[in-house]
Amino acid sequence: MMRTTARRREESVASSGLSAASAAIRTALRRVVVGYRLVGALWLALLVAIAVARGDLDLLPAVALVGVVAAWSAVTWAAGTALRAPAWLGADLLVSLGTILLPLAEAGDPSVHGGYPFSSVLIAAWARGLPGALTAAVLLSAAAIARAVAGGLAVLPETVGSVLVYSFGAAVAVWGIGVIVRADAEQRRLAAALADERAERLRSQERAETAAALHDSVLQTLALLQRRADDPAAVVTLARSEERALRAWLAGAGSPQGSGGSPGPRTGPVGSFSAAVTAAAAEVEGRFGVRVDVVTVGEADLDDDLAALVAAAREAMANAAEHAGVAEVACYAEVADGRASVFVRDRGCGFDPTAVPADRRGLAESIVGRVERRGGTAAIRTSPGEGTEVELALPR
Amino acid sequence: MRPSPTVFLVDDHALFRSGLRSELAGRVTIVGEAADVDGAVSGVLAADPDVVLLDVHLPGATGDPRPGAGGRAVAETLREAGSRARLLALSASDAPEDVIGVIRAGARGYVTKTISADELVAAIRRVADGDAVFSPKLAGYVLDAFAAIPVDAVDPDLARLTAREREILQLVARGYTYREIAERLVISPRTVESHVSAVLRKLQLDNRHQLSRWAAERNL
């Protein structure tokens, strides 16, 4: 498919010239062509000034001619790509023919148009390719010859020079533009092919990585399932943690490494708050064999404070998993309205907070203390038989 | 006791359908099942069930290969056909845009496939009664979606949740049942129900543009 695209591109280069060029090349060529037009206008003004100084030309027609040429040059500069329209090209050619033909000076005097008319050949070559350049060259040559017929032998060398410049100039301009456009198209084709190839290589690399990672994970799990077939609780836990890992992988959140390590603040917290909460829940699931349903709302980058909040939440989940005597724990984490909160809830046996012995430091130290040291709050709602909800919040 | 609601199962996995059948047997009346979009639409229109259990990730959506397009297509086609069946979305998928998409197409609730049989039967009954079923997961998605809608939204009444609705959704996301929420807020379960239904209505009426932008921002 790529090859046909390339061939089609080549064909269009051959047939319509400029239209195959990229926008950047088209703009650059237009600047060069119209830039030469400005040089030509300057050239003409210089020759007119010399003619006036010599007394060959009156001041009034001189000023009029320079004014018209300067104004038209400015217009063509400003016209931009509109210049490619036939009407514009025709008008442009008329101005150039005028600079050659208008009987401003005595017949036989040196001409004052200089290099200006040739700029019409360049513009026509840029806009219409070979036919345009040839048309302009033929018309301008005819005008130069007509002038020679009127002016006699004195202007003959100049006329021959003009005709040669117009015709060869047209050919050279068309050829040059063609070379540039083809080189540009070829370069873009190569760049596109390279990009295609690179994308394909990345894709296949990614496929290979995915396959390898999934194979590792799935085969390992299947092996474990076979060995633990007599222990339904373990199998459920395994399936659950693999499901979680696979989901995380599919969501692009990481590698399917099962219920991986804890996001310990010792190595410096990295990643997102919601991912850390999810990982903590997965860890608790793996450790205690209960299901932890996590819902997260909002998102924040993990910092030391949030890592402490997650660590406290992990303790709360572990507590619920260990003591509540239920198969499910719900964890809701939210970042909104200038605070981060985590709610850990179970429908288990509950307890009497006033009856917790003072030497049981789990609740006070690793949950409440952890959050309060960071300027947050911890609340525990529970009573025997009613389940427990731990609410942790940190201002942000 | 109310007659048990009639239920139509739509899921592309035959194993999952048969599992559902045996779990629900005797507690609801299963009147049919389908494995793809076309089968689901014609089957539901023919069987006219009270509730359709609709898999979000359903193949067979023509011209739209996105996951989640199938469930949405069924919901949209049934709504256009004027079916009275109420849809309960059911999925193993955790992708928020799929879930919100099916809800917006007309489903009255969303539960994950890991739900217990008892909870599923309760959810089916609730949907059959015309109520909305917000699982904790869906409540989280909805809170996220509304939080992402800019304050200068076109229709602020539709684009925002009231403080009460937000509070109730948060409690749902925290794992509270409607009954527990009612006790906690000292209101009737009916009032909780009507708040949740109001949120569902906002989701389904809200300017499409805003929620697509929410999805786009999350790279969904």
Side-chain angles (χ1 to χ4, degrees):
Chain A
M1 197 183 81
M2 217 166 69
R3 199 170 300 149
T4 43
T5 324
R7 194 180 307 136
R8 204 172 307 136
R9 219 175 270 149
E10 269 163 30
E11 278 164 10
S12 75
V13 168
S15 61
S16 65
L18 199 62
S19 60
S22 64
I25 288 290
R26 276 206 299 269
T27 308
L29 284 173
R30 182 172 58 80
R31 294 232 171 95
V32 168
V33 162
V34 182
Y36 173 78
R37 148 70 42 87
L38 300 183
V39 172
L42 211 60
W43 186 337
L44 179 140
L46 213 59
L47 290 180
V48 167
I50 292 170
V52 170
R54 277 185 179 165
D56 291 341
L57 195 58
D58 288 338
L59 193 60
L60 198 64
V63 169
L65 177 62
V66 172
V68 167
V69 165
W72 182 251
S73 300
V75 167
T76 50
W77 179 265
T81 48
L83 206 53
R84 294 184 72 188
W88 274 96
L89 294 174
D92 186 66
L93 204 52
L94 278 184
V95 173
S96 290
L97 289 171
T99 63
I100 301 175
L101 286 177
L102 281 185
L104 293 168
E106 296 289 318
D109 282 345
S111 66
V112 292
H113 52 73
Y116 179 83
F118 183 61
S119 64
S120 282
V121 176
L122 286 186
I123 288 178
W126 164 77
R128 299 272 139 191
L130 192 59
L134 278 184
T135 310
V138 166
L139 286 176
L140 290 173
S141 297
I145 290 167
R147 212 183 113 78
V149 169
L153 275 181
V155 294
L156 192 60
E158 188 197 308
T159 306
V160 172
S162 292
V163 170
L164 286 176
V165 165
Y166 296 152
S167 40
F168 281 106
V172 168
V174 168
W175 174 76
I177 289 174
V179 166
I180 291 172
V181 166
R182 272 191 297 277
D184 173 57
E186 176 65 12
Q187 195 191 358
R188 279 185 300 141
R189 192 185 64 75
L190 285 177
L194 200 66
D196 281 354
E197 194 188 303
R198 190 173 303 151
E200 176 54 36
R201 204 166 52 229
L202 273 181
R203 261 197 304 276
S204 63
Q205 200 174 329
E206 216 165 86
R207 263 197 303 271
E209 271 172 25
T210 309
L214 288 185
H215 282 164
D216 277 1
S217 173
V218 170
L219 290 178
Q220 208 168 338
T221 305
L222 289 176
L224 279 171
L225 286 178
Q226 288 168 41
R227 283 172 41 201
R228 310 279 298 265
D230 53 337
D231 183 352
V235 168
V236 167
T237 305
L238 212 54
R240 180 88 180 134
S241 73
E242 279 310 316
E243 178 196 345
R244 207 185 267 280
L246 188 57
R247 272 185 206 295
W249 168 257
L250 291 176
S255 59
Q257 294 303 310
S259 45
S262 61
R266 243 168 267 115
T267 54
V270 285
S272 76
F273 175 61
S274 69
V277 172
T278 310
E283 189 196 333
V284 170
E285 282 194 340
R287 194 141 52 101
F288 296 98
V290 300
R291 203 169 108 191
V292 184
D293 285 318
V294 182
V295 175
T296 64
V297 169
E299 187 56 290
D301 287 334
L302 205 57
D303 56 20
D304 286 339
D305 287 349
L306 287 181
L309 180 63
V310 173
R314 184 170 56 230
E315 281 312 307
M317 288 185 259
N319 257 357
E322 195 172 8
H323 301 299
V326 288
E328 276 173 41
V329 176
C331 173
Y332 173 67
E334 179 189 65
V335 184
D337 304 331
R339 58 183 230 147
S341 349
V342 183
F343 299 82
V344 177
R345 174 174 161 78
D346 67 70
R347 298 170 186 286
C349 54
F351 61 96
D352 178 2
T354 59
V356 175
D359 61 328
R360 290 282 306 280
R361 306 300 299 158
L363 199 61
E365 203 36 54
S366 54
I367 300 179
V368 180
R370 236 179 196 146
V371 177
E372 285 180 348
R373 273 197 297 278
R374 301 279 174 170
T377 56
I380 295 158
R381 268 181 294 272
T382 182
S383 59
E386 283 295 301
T388 305
E389 185 173 49
V390 178
E391 174 178 354
L392 309 168
L394 267 186
R396 305 219 351 103
Chain B
M1 169 127 189
R2 285 170 303 174
S4 77
T6 53
V7 175
F8 192 98
L9 308 179
V10 181
D11 195 295
D12 58 314
H13 293 108
L15 207 58
F16 187 79
R17 286 201 308 273
S18 67
L20 267 185
R21 257 183 189 282
S22 64
E23 274 191 339
L24 297 178
R27 308 167 76 174
V28 300
T29 312
I30 292 174
V31 293
E33 56 182 67
D36 56 26
V37 173
D38 295 340
V41 170
S42 56
V44 168
L45 290 178
D48 191 30
D50 296 323
V51 176
V52 180
L53 275 185
L54 178 61
D55 183 17
V56 175
H57 278 208
L58 194 66
T62 41
D64 195 344
R66 283 173 302 173
R72 206 149 57 222
V74 171
E76 277 162 4
T77 317
L78 285 178
R79 189 174 53 186
E80 280 157 21
S83 164
R84 68 166 194 101
R86 294 182 168 122
L87 309 185
L88 176 59
L90 182 69
S91 170
S93 156
D94 285 341
E97 106 275 23
D98 296 343
V99 174
I100 298 277
V102 173
I103 294 290
R104 287 170 61 72
R108 297 207 52 86
Y110 165 71
V111 293
T112 47
K113 281 184 176 176
T114 47
I115 191 173
S116 73
D118 291 343
E119 285 173 315
L120 182 57
V121 170
I124 290 172
R125 288 190 177 282
R126 192 175 290 157
V127 169
D129 290 345
D131 294 334
V133 172
F134 274 46
S135 59
K137 202 113 213 163
L138 176 58
Y141 291 158
V142 172
L143 282 170
D144 239 359
F146 276 102
I149 294 175
V151 184
D152 59 343
V154 185
D155 189 344
D157 287 342
L158 281 182
R160 264 183 249 149
L161 300 175
T162 65
R164 193 56 139 182
E165 286 162 355
R166 213 180 122 69
E167 189 178 16
I168 287 173
L169 278 189
Q170 270 172 332
L171 286 167
V172 172
R174 279 157 63 179
Y176 283 74
T177 64
Y178 289 4
R179 190 181 49 75
E180 288 166 337
I181 294 171
E183 276 168 22
R184 221 186 127 136
L185 300 181
V186 202
I187 52 180
S188 77
R190 250 358 279 178
T191 312
V192 175
E193 190 65 65
S194 72
H195 280 298
V196 171
S197 291
V199 172
L200 189 74
R201 214 158 36 240
K202 284 184 186 183
L203 257 186
Q204 291 172 347
L205 290 182
D206 178 42
N207 179 327
R208 183 164 293 271
H209 170 71
Q210 314 256 341
L211 279 168
S212 352
R213 187 156 72 194
W214 165 76
E217 275 164 6
R218 297 183 50 133
N219 285 330
L220 299 172

